[in-house]
Amino acid sequence: MWSQLVHKTRRMTCFLLPYYHNSPSTTKLIFTPHYASSVFLRPVSSLAVRSFCSKSGAMSSLQSLQNLDSVSFLKQREAAEIDETLMGPLGFSVDQLMELAGLSVATSIAEVYKPTEYSRVLAICGPGNNGGDGLVAARHLHHFGYKPFVCYPKRTPKPLYSGLVTQLESLSVPFLSTEDLPLDLSKDFDILVDAMFGFSFHGAPRPPFDDLIQRLVCLHSNDQTHQKRPVIVSIDIPSGWHVEEADIDGEGIKPDMLVSLTAPKLCAKKFCGSHHFLGGRFVPPVIADKYKLHLPPYPGTSMCVRIGKPPQVDISTLRENYISPEFLEEQVESDPIDQFRKWFDDAMAADLREPNAMALSTAGKDGKLSSRMVLLKGVDKDGFVWYTNYESRKARELSENPCASLLFYWEGLNRQVRIEGSVQKVSDEESEQYFHSRPRGSQIGAIVSKQSSVVPGRHVLYQQYEELEEKFSDGSVIPKPAHWGGYRLKPKLFEFWQGQQSRLHDRLQYSPQEIDGKLVWKIDRLAP
Ligand SMILES: NC(=O)C1=CN([C@@H]2O[C@H](COP(=O)(O)OP(=O)(O)OC[C@H]3O[C@@H](n4cnc5c(N)ncnc54)[C@H](OP(=O)(O)O)[C@@H]3O)[C@@H](O)[C@H]2O)[C@@H](O)CC1
Ligand SMILES: Cc1cc2nc3c(=O)[nH]c(=O)nc-3n(C[C@H](O)[C@H](O)[C@H](O)COP(=O)(O)O)c2cc1C
Ligand SMILES: Cc1ncc(COP(=O)(O)O)c(C=O)c1O
Ligand SMILES: [K+]
């Protein structure tokens, strides 16, 4: 039977998207966002599929913001069966799965609770594999910059578990006995990882876990006192809950975060906390197929994916506290282009996504402003270059008023760069050369798109694209349309901004000054 399933799945891998492989008809659409459904519900052209796939990382993180009703939930028996199958015919070892499960838990925690605010973690580990996941998660959390503590009162005398304990001891992670633990956990910890029981839990919790569960339950009484309490993160099952019927008497723990592994178990339907994540990115298609699992794709290289709705937030409370090294006048380059290159190199080294994306602002003769993102395609002493359509809105505005501003924001580095100046078209040869360096699809796209004009529907673009794709399928040169080319902004003003604590940011402005007939850049610090 397994070989049949494997065979079937191989055939299905021709479908392009992970976890959408059941059959074309069952892609009956699990995920709510409108555009996702519309992409899949109707026949799609090759262009549609290709363009979707090239963006699939970002798309999949959007798809995961789905309706929980559409995700599969497992019964206790199914969870145990999947476990056995993974570790039997599918060739996994328990160590491997536990490592991936624990890593998923640690990455889920790190997505929501930053170590700068939530550093002290207590992992309360039970005797089974759920406890093992907790031990692994504690180790990863240590490496992520948290300060984990472990309470592991019923140690399992197996090499896997003693190895995990040794690894934690080698990192000087403290092990606390139940007697060492304060009765009130709220003062000493920011995060409590509930790794006591997973899907093999049955009956009523026995000592010492009954008492430990009770200590987690008690924390909610602090909610009324508005005292800050630690958040509870449950691995796979909130411990003490019935695996299928959840918190039967309503007096169990109420985790803030639940990290379901492999697929959520039935009790997860009753989870009311703010953050439900799925981890365990190891489910092979045979399992998904056999259990008809509808699971969201994991974004990019992530080990976890949010399922269910993201928490409703009060937007006014969203803020970051920037912590950066000092950015001082003595350290900067005298030439702002050199300084820009230095920061650009830092953005590259920090592996930021599209560090060359910049907001371009223009204004027509009526003085009305408009902004949009464009990609920087070159920078030198002559200025900053990007490419676009010469009949677009920005092009019209630039023809009326050849002044613009550029804005870079490098989020991971707490840095922003503003540049203002005058704009000219680049030479035809330069545009010609750049145009032919682009992927052929983008060259055709530039011909198809009468940028900023109204189109009756996406199908019109597809149709024209496909006609041109056919026309140039012999690999012949795709001529650059006359309406497509580059602009160069010659800078007259720069500002380099770096975020600092209490909003006392660094701002160094470069403005040109003539001294003895020579142009030099004057550097001023501006108030934040
Ligand atoms: N693919 C997967 O599925 C993966 C699964 N993974 C993880 O494994 C978890 C399941 O692990 P598991 O089977 O070891 O069971 P788990 O729930 O941790 O505990 C069993 C222990 O608890 C005990 N116990 C039970 N009831 C009790 C009670 N009332 N009061 C006191 N003790 C009680 C029981 O003792 P017993 O009753 O047998 O004497 C036994 O010692 C799963 O949820 C997930 O976290 C990942 O690591 C990898 C991928
Ligand atoms: C990250 C990013 C990069 C972009 N890069 C370019 C670009 O290099 N050239 C371009 O014409 N449009 C680019 N666009 C699309 C523009 O933002 C904009 O939609 C388009 O140029 C039309 O703008 P307009 O109607 O104001 O002229 C980019 C969009 C994003 C989000
Ligand atoms: C409409 C448009 N033109 C041009 C570009 C720049 O793309 P490329 O890097 O292929 O030149 C982009 C990038 O997003 C774009 O959206
Ligand atoms: K648990």
Side-chain angles (χ1 to χ4, degrees):
M1 185 195 70
W2 280 105
S3 65
Q4 257 177 347
L5 275 177
V6 170
H7 175 73
K8 200 168 159 205
T9 315
R10 254 190 225 132
R11 186 163 46 79
M12 285 164 178
T13 50
C14 62
F15 288 97
L16 289 155
L17 295 160
Y19 302 115
Y20 280 96
H21 43 42
N22 295 353
S23 79
S25 59
T26 58
T27 40
K28 59 162 182 25
L29 272 303
I30 316 165
F31 302 116
T32 45
H34 284 302
Y35 61 83
S37 324
S38 59
V39 167
F40 285 102
L41 281 171
R42 53 187 178 74
V44 286
S45 76
S46 57
L47 172 66
V49 173
R50 250 179 287 133
S51 64
F52 180 87
C53 289
S54 69
K55 299 243 159 55
S56 61
M59 292 291 270
S60 58
S61 50
L62 282 175
Q63 282 162 10
S64 66
L65 305 178
Q66 63 190 277
N67 186 342
L68 252 197
D69 296 343
S70 55
V71 178
S72 311
F73 291 82
L74 296 174
K75 295 184 180 141
Q76 187 166 29
R77 184 187 46 76
E78 291 172 323
E81 231 178 83
I82 290 178
D83 204 35
E84 280 166 28
T85 310
L86 285 166
M87 285 186 259
L90 289 177
F92 286 96
S93 68
V94 61
D95 312 33
Q96 266 184 304
L97 296 180
M98 198 175 279
E99 189 61 31
L100 291 168
L103 180 59
S104 314
V105 171
T107 54
S108 303
I109 290 175
E111 287 219 357
V112 176
Y113 304 113
K114 302 295 166 210
T116 42
E117 247 185 284
Y118 296 85
S119 64
R120 302 162 305 166
V121 182
L122 173 66
I124 309 176
C125 302
N129 290 350
N130 197 261
D133 296 347
L135 296 172
V136 174
R139 168 161 42 80
H140 288 292
L141 287 169
H142 167 90
H143 290 297
F144 293 173
Y146 295 82
K147 174 135 190 50
F149 298 79
V150 174
C151 174
Y152 186 29
K154 287 259 176 262
R155 300 195 180 190
T156 309
K158 284 187 186 164
L160 166 59
Y161 296 89
S162 48
L164 294 175
V165 169
T166 307
Q167 292 157 29
L168 286 162
E169 283 170 347
S170 75
L171 298 171
S172 305
V173 169
F175 277 75
L176 307 175
S177 69
T178 40
E179 294 77 41
D180 292 337
L181 279 185
L183 270 182
D184 175 4
L185 300 173
S186 60
K187 291 195 184 66
D188 296 272
F189 305 105
D190 306 306
I191 301 177
L192 300 170
V193 178
D194 153 30
M196 286 178 265
F197 304 118
F199 61 63
S200 298
F201 174 78
H202 47 85
R206 297 189 293 271
F209 298 103
D210 51 351
D211 168 61
L212 288 166
I213 289 174
Q214 217 37 50
R215 291 199 213 183
L216 298 191
V217 171
C218 285
L219 291 170
H220 290 282
S221 51
N222 289 344
D223 282 356
Q224 273 89 49
T225 62
H226 297 292
Q227 199 183 321
K228 189 180 178 241
R229 64 161 179 86
V231 294
I232 301 173
V233 178
S234 287
I235 303 182
D236 212 21
I237 313 277
S239 298
W241 283 26
H242 189 282
V243 177
E244 295 178 4
E245 283 153 39
D247 186 11
I248 296 173
D249 59 9
E251 290 180 1
I253 64 177
K254 294 182 176 50
D256 301 275
M257 175 184 242
L258 173 63
V259 185
S260 292
L261 296 167
T262 308
K265 317 303 171 292
L266 274 171
C267 67
K269 284 192 175 182
K270 302 276 166 58
F271 168 71
C272 296
S274 305
H275 310 285
H276 191 180
F277 277 67
L278 178 67
R281 192 176 185 171
F282 46 63
V283 180
V286 271
I287 294 275
D289 197 41
K290 183 176 176 206
Y291 292 91
K292 301 200 169 30
L293 295 183
H294 293 316
L295 299 172
Y298 288 82
T301 54
S302 183
M303 291 307 295
C304 59
V305 54
R306 184 185 280 279
I307 50 181
K309 286 198 182 70
Q312 296 301 304
V313 289
D314 170 358
I315 293 176
S316 71
T317 64
L318 292 179
R319 60 173 64 85
E320 285 290 327
N321 180 27
Y322 306 110
I323 302 172
S324 321
E326 280 181 321
F327 179 53
L328 301 174
E329 290 79 339
E330 305 81 271
Q331 302 162 347
V332 297
E333 299 290 329
S334 52
D335 187 318
I337 298 278
D338 294 336
Q339 182 58 36
F340 178 84
R341 286 190 163 286
K342 219 166 147 180
W343 273 22
F344 194 84
D345 289 347
D346 290 344
M348 286 300 297
D351 228 4
L352 303 187
R353 192 157 178 261
E354 292 204 300
N356 61 330
M358 55 187 187
L360 161 71
S361 300
T362 53
K365 61 174 184 272
D366 55 7
K368 286 188 184 149
L369 288 150
S370 65
S371 301
R372 79 289 290 150
M373 302 299 292
V374 291
L375 294 182
L376 177 70
K377 289 290 158 175
V379 54
D380 58 24
K381 300 285 173 208
D382 296 326
F384 291 76
V385 174
W386 68 93
Y387 289 88
T388 190
N389 185 304
Y390 286 152
E391 290 164 5
S392 61
R393 172 170 177 185
K394 68 181 97 49
R396 175 182 58 76
E397 292 179 356
L398 285 169
S399 71
E400 293 171 7
N401 172 13
C403 294
S405 77
L406 302 175
L407 179 70
F408 292 85
Y409 177 49
W410 293 311
E411 195 248 23
L413 296 172
N414 303 337
R415 283 174 176 173
Q416 161 181 260
V417 182
R418 297 164 67 166
I419 304 159
E420 294 167 26
S422 56
V423 180
Q424 279 188 335
K425 285 182 181 170
V426 305
S427 71
D428 244 1
E429 298 79 71
E430 214 175 325
S431 292
E432 198 66 56
Q433 200 178 8
Y434 176 68
F435 182 80
H436 294 294
S437 76
R438 304 178 79 213
R440 286 173 73 82
S442 311
Q443 295 184 37
I444 295 175
I447 303 176
V448 168
S449 169
K450 307 209 172 347
Q451 198 176 53
S452 318
S453 67
V454 174
V455 271
R458 205 165 166 77
H459 58 282
V460 180
L461 300 175
Y462 286 155
Q463 195 190 329
Q464 290 174 12
Y465 182 93
E466 272 169 1
E467 282 166 19
L468 288 169
E469 194 180 37
E470 173 63 33
K471 181 173 167 190
F472 295 113
S473 60
D474 57 356
S476 57
V477 172
I478 302 168
K480 179 185 84 62
H483 63 247
W484 199 91
Y487 284 102
R488 176 175 280 109
L489 178 141
K490 193 170 171 48
K492 305 249 167 65
L493 195 74
F494 284 84
E495 183 195 311
F496 293 85
W497 180 101
Q498 186 165 280
Q500 296 291 3
Q501 296 196 58
S502 306
R503 305 300 189 230
L504 292 179
H505 317 301
D506 293 308
R507 297 179 64 188
L508 295 184
Q509 178 182 276
Y510 289 68
S511 52
Q513 262 204 337
E514 226 184 88
I515 298 181
D516 300 333
K518 248 185 78 186
L519 188 88
V520 290
W521 289 95
K522 178 164 161 281
I523 302 176
D524 293 304
R525 177 172 288 269
L526 304 183

PDB file of all heavy atoms in Angstrom, residues 354 357 370 372-375 386-389 392-395 451-452, ligand 2:
ATOM      1  N   GLU A 354      15.511  42.768  -1.387  1.00  0.00           N
ATOM      2  CA  GLU A 354      15.476  43.933  -2.268  1.00  0.00           C
ATOM      3  C   GLU A 354      16.010  45.213  -1.604  1.00  0.00           C
ATOM      4  O   GLU A 354      15.285  46.199  -1.451  1.00  0.00           O
ATOM      5  CB  GLU A 354      14.059  44.169  -2.790  1.00  0.00           C
ATOM      6  CG  GLU A 354      13.617  43.063  -3.733  1.00  0.00           C
ATOM      7  CD  GLU A 354      12.522  43.480  -4.709  1.00  0.00           C
ATOM      8  OE1 GLU A 354      11.437  43.877  -4.270  1.00  0.00           O
ATOM      9  OE2 GLU A 354      12.777  43.424  -5.921  1.00  0.00           O
ATOM     10  N   ALA A 357      15.290  48.427  -3.439  1.00  0.00           N
ATOM     11  CA  ALA A 357      13.946  48.993  -3.606  1.00  0.00           C
ATOM     12  C   ALA A 357      13.912  50.372  -2.957  1.00  0.00           C
ATOM     13  O   ALA A 357      14.360  50.545  -1.829  1.00  0.00           O
ATOM     14  CB  ALA A 357      12.905  48.080  -2.971  1.00  0.00           C
ATOM     15  N   SER A 370       3.173  62.326  -5.881  1.00  0.00           N
ATOM     16  CA  SER A 370       2.884  60.891  -5.950  1.00  0.00           C
ATOM     17  C   SER A 370       4.159  60.117  -5.646  1.00  0.00           C
ATOM     18  O   SER A 370       5.256  60.565  -5.960  1.00  0.00           O
ATOM     19  CB  SER A 370       2.331  60.512  -7.320  1.00  0.00           C
ATOM     20  OG  SER A 370       3.305  60.723  -8.314  1.00  0.00           O
ATOM     21  N   ARG A 372       5.914  55.996  -5.413  1.00  0.00           N
ATOM     22  CA  ARG A 372       5.849  54.573  -5.750  1.00  0.00           C
ATOM     23  C   ARG A 372       7.244  53.987  -5.569  1.00  0.00           C
ATOM     24  O   ARG A 372       8.231  54.729  -5.526  1.00  0.00           O
ATOM     25  CB  ARG A 372       5.338  54.306  -7.184  1.00  0.00           C
ATOM     26  CG  ARG A 372       6.322  54.479  -8.301  1.00  0.00           C
ATOM     27  CD  ARG A 372       6.701  55.914  -8.586  1.00  0.00           C
ATOM     28  NE  ARG A 372       5.627  56.699  -9.175  1.00  0.00           N
ATOM     29  CZ  ARG A 372       5.460  57.975  -9.021  1.00  0.00           C
ATOM     30  NH1 ARG A 372       6.352  58.685  -8.289  1.00  0.00           N
ATOM     31  NH2 ARG A 372       4.476  58.636  -9.569  1.00  0.00           N
ATOM     32  N   MET A 373       7.296  52.651  -5.476  1.00  0.00           N
ATOM     33  CA  MET A 373       8.585  51.984  -5.359  1.00  0.00           C
ATOM     34  C   MET A 373       9.159  51.731  -6.752  1.00  0.00           C
ATOM     35  O   MET A 373       8.419  51.401  -7.674  1.00  0.00           O
ATOM     36  CB  MET A 373       8.449  50.614  -4.672  1.00  0.00           C
ATOM     37  CG  MET A 373       7.836  50.627  -3.295  1.00  0.00           C
ATOM     38  SD  MET A 373       8.751  51.582  -2.107  1.00  0.00           S
ATOM     39  CE  MET A 373      10.231  50.598  -1.948  1.00  0.00           C
ATOM     40  N   VAL A 374      10.451  51.870  -6.872  1.00  0.00           N
ATOM     41  CA  VAL A 374      11.161  51.434  -8.081  1.00  0.00           C
ATOM     42  C   VAL A 374      12.466  50.772  -7.619  1.00  0.00           C
ATOM     43  O   VAL A 374      12.844  50.872  -6.455  1.00  0.00           O
ATOM     44  CB  VAL A 374      11.466  52.597  -9.063  1.00  0.00           C
ATOM     45  CG1 VAL A 374      10.198  53.134  -9.714  1.00  0.00           C
ATOM     46  CG2 VAL A 374      12.240  53.708  -8.392  1.00  0.00           C
ATOM     47  N   LEU A 375      13.116  50.106  -8.556  1.00  0.00           N
ATOM     48  CA  LEU A 375      14.372  49.439  -8.193  1.00  0.00           C
ATOM     49  C   LEU A 375      15.569  50.241  -8.675  1.00  0.00           C
ATOM     50  O   LEU A 375      15.644  50.598  -9.861  1.00  0.00           O
ATOM     51  CB  LEU A 375      14.428  48.033  -8.802  1.00  0.00           C
ATOM     52  CG  LEU A 375      13.406  47.019  -8.289  1.00  0.00           C
ATOM     53  CD1 LEU A 375      13.619  45.656  -8.954  1.00  0.00           C
ATOM     54  CD2 LEU A 375      13.474  46.869  -6.773  1.00  0.00           C
ATOM     55  N   TRP A 386      17.163  54.323 -12.333  1.00  0.00           N
ATOM     56  CA  TRP A 386      16.111  53.295 -12.340  1.00  0.00           C
ATOM     57  C   TRP A 386      15.481  53.274 -13.721  1.00  0.00           C
ATOM     58  O   TRP A 386      15.693  54.193 -14.523  1.00  0.00           O
ATOM     59  CB  TRP A 386      15.061  53.584 -11.267  1.00  0.00           C
ATOM     60  CG  TRP A 386      14.240  54.812 -11.530  1.00  0.00           C
ATOM     61  CD1 TRP A 386      13.033  54.881 -12.166  1.00  0.00           C
ATOM     62  CD2 TRP A 386      14.569  56.160 -11.155  1.00  0.00           C
ATOM     63  NE1 TRP A 386      12.595  56.180 -12.221  1.00  0.00           N
ATOM     64  CE2 TRP A 386      13.520  56.992 -11.605  1.00  0.00           C
ATOM     65  CE3 TRP A 386      15.659  56.755 -10.496  1.00  0.00           C
ATOM     66  CZ2 TRP A 386      13.517  58.366 -11.420  1.00  0.00           C
ATOM     67  CZ3 TRP A 386      15.645  58.132 -10.313  1.00  0.00           C
ATOM     68  CH2 TRP A 386      14.592  58.920 -10.767  1.00  0.00           C
ATOM     69  N   TYR A 387      14.727  52.236 -13.996  1.00  0.00           N
ATOM     70  CA  TYR A 387      14.107  52.079 -15.321  1.00  0.00           C
ATOM     71  C   TYR A 387      12.600  51.990 -15.188  1.00  0.00           C
ATOM     72  O   TYR A 387      12.075  51.445 -14.211  1.00  0.00           O
ATOM     73  CB  TYR A 387      14.659  50.827 -16.022  1.00  0.00           C
ATOM     74  CG  TYR A 387      16.094  51.043 -16.441  1.00  0.00           C
ATOM     75  CD1 TYR A 387      17.136  50.750 -15.561  1.00  0.00           C
ATOM     76  CD2 TYR A 387      16.393  51.605 -17.676  1.00  0.00           C
ATOM     77  CE1 TYR A 387      18.442  50.997 -15.911  1.00  0.00           C
ATOM     78  CE2 TYR A 387      17.709  51.854 -18.033  1.00  0.00           C
ATOM     79  CZ  TYR A 387      18.737  51.551 -17.146  1.00  0.00           C
ATOM     80  OH  TYR A 387      20.028  51.816 -17.491  1.00  0.00           O
ATOM     81  N   THR A 388      11.948  52.517 -16.216  1.00  0.00           N
ATOM     82  CA  THR A 388      10.484  52.531 -16.148  1.00  0.00           C
ATOM     83  C   THR A 388       9.897  52.824 -17.527  1.00  0.00           C
ATOM     84  O   THR A 388      10.605  52.806 -18.540  1.00  0.00           O
ATOM     85  CB  THR A 388      10.017  53.554 -15.087  1.00  0.00           C
ATOM     86  OG1 THR A 388       8.622  53.383 -14.860  1.00  0.00           O
ATOM     87  CG2 THR A 388      10.303  54.990 -15.500  1.00  0.00           C
ATOM     88  N   ASN A 389       8.612  53.135 -17.509  1.00  0.00           N
ATOM     89  CA  ASN A 389       7.911  53.443 -18.754  1.00  0.00           C
ATOM     90  C   ASN A 389       7.859  54.968 -18.911  1.00  0.00           C
ATOM     91  O   ASN A 389       7.443  55.669 -17.979  1.00  0.00           O
ATOM     92  CB  ASN A 389       6.495  52.845 -18.649  1.00  0.00           C
ATOM     93  CG  ASN A 389       5.721  53.001 -19.921  1.00  0.00           C
ATOM     94  OD1 ASN A 389       5.557  54.105 -20.425  1.00  0.00           O
ATOM     95  ND2 ASN A 389       5.219  51.879 -20.426  1.00  0.00           N
ATOM     96  N   SER A 392       4.406  56.687 -18.338  1.00  0.00           N
ATOM     97  CA  SER A 392       3.697  56.439 -17.073  1.00  0.00           C
ATOM     98  C   SER A 392       3.383  57.757 -16.367  1.00  0.00           C
ATOM     99  O   SER A 392       3.824  58.830 -16.802  1.00  0.00           O
ATOM    100  CB  SER A 392       4.578  55.574 -16.153  1.00  0.00           C
ATOM    101  OG  SER A 392       5.786  56.271 -15.870  1.00  0.00           O
ATOM    102  N   ARG A 393       2.673  57.634 -15.262  1.00  0.00           N
ATOM    103  CA  ARG A 393       2.351  58.841 -14.481  1.00  0.00           C
ATOM    104  C   ARG A 393       3.633  59.524 -13.995  1.00  0.00           C
ATOM    105  O   ARG A 393       3.782  60.733 -14.088  1.00  0.00           O
ATOM    106  CB  ARG A 393       1.483  58.448 -13.284  1.00  0.00           C
ATOM    107  CG  ARG A 393       1.283  59.623 -12.350  1.00  0.00           C
ATOM    108  CD  ARG A 393       0.253  59.358 -11.284  1.00  0.00           C
ATOM    109  NE  ARG A 393       0.190  60.522 -10.393  1.00  0.00           N
ATOM    110  CZ  ARG A 393      -0.537  60.577  -9.294  1.00  0.00           C
ATOM    111  NH1 ARG A 393      -1.278  59.544  -8.954  1.00  0.00           N
ATOM    112  NH2 ARG A 393      -0.542  61.660  -8.539  1.00  0.00           N
ATOM    113  N   LYS A 394       4.565  58.733 -13.474  1.00  0.00           N
ATOM    114  CA  LYS A 394       5.803  59.334 -12.958  1.00  0.00           C
ATOM    115  C   LYS A 394       6.556  60.044 -14.071  1.00  0.00           C
ATOM    116  O   LYS A 394       7.153  61.104 -13.875  1.00  0.00           O
ATOM    117  CB  LYS A 394       6.673  58.275 -12.255  1.00  0.00           C
ATOM    118  CG  LYS A 394       7.284  57.209 -13.163  1.00  0.00           C
ATOM    119  CD  LYS A 394       8.106  56.206 -12.407  1.00  0.00           C
ATOM    120  CE  LYS A 394       7.359  54.927 -12.081  1.00  0.00           C
ATOM    121  NZ  LYS A 394       6.628  54.253 -13.156  1.00  0.00           N
ATOM    122  N   ALA A 395       6.502  59.437 -15.292  1.00  0.00           N
ATOM    123  CA  ALA A 395       7.213  60.036 -16.421  1.00  0.00           C
ATOM    124  C   ALA A 395       6.574  61.380 -16.789  1.00  0.00           C
ATOM    125  O   ALA A 395       7.268  62.357 -17.064  1.00  0.00           O
ATOM    126  CB  ALA A 395       7.192  59.081 -17.609  1.00  0.00           C
ATOM    127  N   GLN A 451       2.059  51.313 -19.091  1.00  0.00           N
ATOM    128  CA  GLN A 451       2.043  51.557 -17.645  1.00  0.00           C
ATOM    129  C   GLN A 451       1.202  52.769 -17.253  1.00  0.00           C
ATOM    130  O   GLN A 451       1.307  53.820 -17.886  1.00  0.00           O
ATOM    131  CB  GLN A 451       3.482  51.743 -17.137  1.00  0.00           C
ATOM    132  CG  GLN A 451       3.623  51.572 -15.635  1.00  0.00           C
ATOM    133  CD  GLN A 451       5.061  51.677 -15.184  1.00  0.00           C
ATOM    134  OE1 GLN A 451       5.749  52.641 -15.494  1.00  0.00           O
ATOM    135  NE2 GLN A 451       5.536  50.673 -14.469  1.00  0.00           N
ATOM    136  N   SER A 452       0.434  52.606 -16.225  1.00  0.00           N
ATOM    137  CA  SER A 452      -0.440  53.609 -15.609  1.00  0.00           C
ATOM    138  C   SER A 452      -1.723  53.864 -16.403  1.00  0.00           C
ATOM    139  O   SER A 452      -2.531  54.713 -16.000  1.00  0.00           O
ATOM    140  CB  SER A 452       0.267  54.954 -15.356  1.00  0.00           C
ATOM    141  OG  SER A 452       1.563  54.773 -14.863  1.00  0.00           O
TER     142      SER A 452
HETATM  143  C1  LIG B   2       9.529  46.738  -4.883  1.00  0.00           C
HETATM  144  C2  LIG B   2       8.981  47.357  -6.144  1.00  0.00           C
HETATM  145  C3  LIG B   2       9.822  47.670  -7.162  1.00  0.00           C
HETATM  146  C4  LIG B   2       9.338  48.248  -8.315  1.00  0.00           C
HETATM  147  N1  LIG B   2      10.203  48.585  -9.280  1.00  0.00           N
HETATM  148  C5  LIG B   2       9.766  49.242 -10.357  1.00  0.00           C
HETATM  149  C6  LIG B   2      10.689  49.708 -11.320  1.00  0.00           C
HETATM  150  O1  LIG B   2      11.899  49.548 -11.193  1.00  0.00           O
HETATM  151  N2  LIG B   2      10.194  50.346 -12.383  1.00  0.00           N
HETATM  152  C7  LIG B   2       8.868  50.560 -12.550  1.00  0.00           C
HETATM  153  O2  LIG B   2       8.483  51.135 -13.562  1.00  0.00           O
HETATM  154  N3  LIG B   2       7.973  50.155 -11.646  1.00  0.00           N
HETATM  155  C8  LIG B   2       8.386  49.501 -10.557  1.00  0.00           C
HETATM  156  N4  LIG B   2       7.495  49.086  -9.621  1.00  0.00           N
HETATM  157  C9  LIG B   2       6.064  49.413  -9.812  1.00  0.00           C
HETATM  158  C10 LIG B   2       5.845  50.876  -9.365  1.00  0.00           C
HETATM  159  O3  LIG B   2       5.791  50.945  -7.955  1.00  0.00           O
HETATM  160  C11 LIG B   2       4.585  51.507  -9.946  1.00  0.00           C
HETATM  161  O4  LIG B   2       3.466  50.708  -9.675  1.00  0.00           O
HETATM  162  C12 LIG B   2       4.677  51.704 -11.454  1.00  0.00           C
HETATM  163  O5  LIG B   2       5.943  52.126 -11.830  1.00  0.00           O
HETATM  164  C13 LIG B   2       3.656  52.717 -11.912  1.00  0.00           C
HETATM  165  O6  LIG B   2       3.858  53.942 -11.245  1.00  0.00           O
HETATM  166  P1  LIG B   2       3.255  55.338 -11.791  1.00  0.00           P
HETATM  167  O7  LIG B   2       1.860  55.044 -12.263  1.00  0.00           O
HETATM  168  O8  LIG B   2       3.285  56.244 -10.608  1.00  0.00           O
HETATM  169  O9  LIG B   2       4.135  55.791 -12.897  1.00  0.00           O
HETATM  170  C14 LIG B   2       7.946  48.500  -8.466  1.00  0.00           C
HETATM  171  C15 LIG B   2       7.093  48.168  -7.408  1.00  0.00           C
HETATM  172  C16 LIG B   2       7.609  47.610  -6.263  1.00  0.00           C
HETATM  173  C17 LIG B   2       6.686  47.291  -5.125  1.00  0.00           C
END
